[in-house]
Amino acid sequence: MPKGYWVSVYPTIDDPERLDVYNELAGLAVTAAGGQVLASVGGRVDAHEAGIAERVVLIEFDSFEQAVAARASAAYQKALAELPDGFERDFRIVEGLD
């Protein structure tokens, strides 16, 4: 069964401390849902074309369905409610090839 992945790119982060509560709650939600962080804040990025060399987060789940369910979970919805106003990110859930 193909794995599922959360891919998040944050175009700009003016005040990273404003994400502390979200990061804590999101981390708990991801762990509870069986997710594993593969790449995160502080990792090196070599961006090309329209790529943005800002924060990139990659999280792996055992399946696409598990990744979708984790995003819909009450625990993750609580984390989302803590994102600061005006905050922008590009978030996707993608299915692995196998």
Side-chain angles (χ1 to χ4, degrees):
M1 173 183 304
K3 296 191 182 256
Y5 297 90
W6 284 10
V7 182
S8 300
V9 178
Y10 299 73
T12 58
I13 300 176
D14 297 327
D15 186 359
E17 291 77 31
R18 291 179 59 207
L19 292 175
D20 288 347
V21 174
Y22 164 79
N23 287 334
E24 183 177 335
L25 293 173
L28 293 171
V30 164
T31 300
Q36 178 182 359
V37 178
L38 300 179
S40 189
V41 179
R44 298 182 333 167
V45 176
D46 183 17
H48 299 271
E49 287 79 43
I52 299 167
E54 192 55 70
R55 176 187 292 204
V56 177
V57 178
L58 176 64
I59 300 173
E60 180 182 70
F61 292 87
D62 287 339
S63 70
F64 180 78
E65 291 76 16
Q66 185 180 10
V68 170
R71 168 69 170 72
S73 72
Y76 191 68
Q77 294 305 305
K78 182 177 177 181
L80 284 176
E82 295 299 329
L83 283 174
D85 290 338
F87 183 76
E88 181 183 348
R89 72 178 177 159
D90 180 351
F91 178 90
R92 300 152 197 254
I93 301 173
V94 297
E95 184 176 49
L97 296 176
D98 197 14

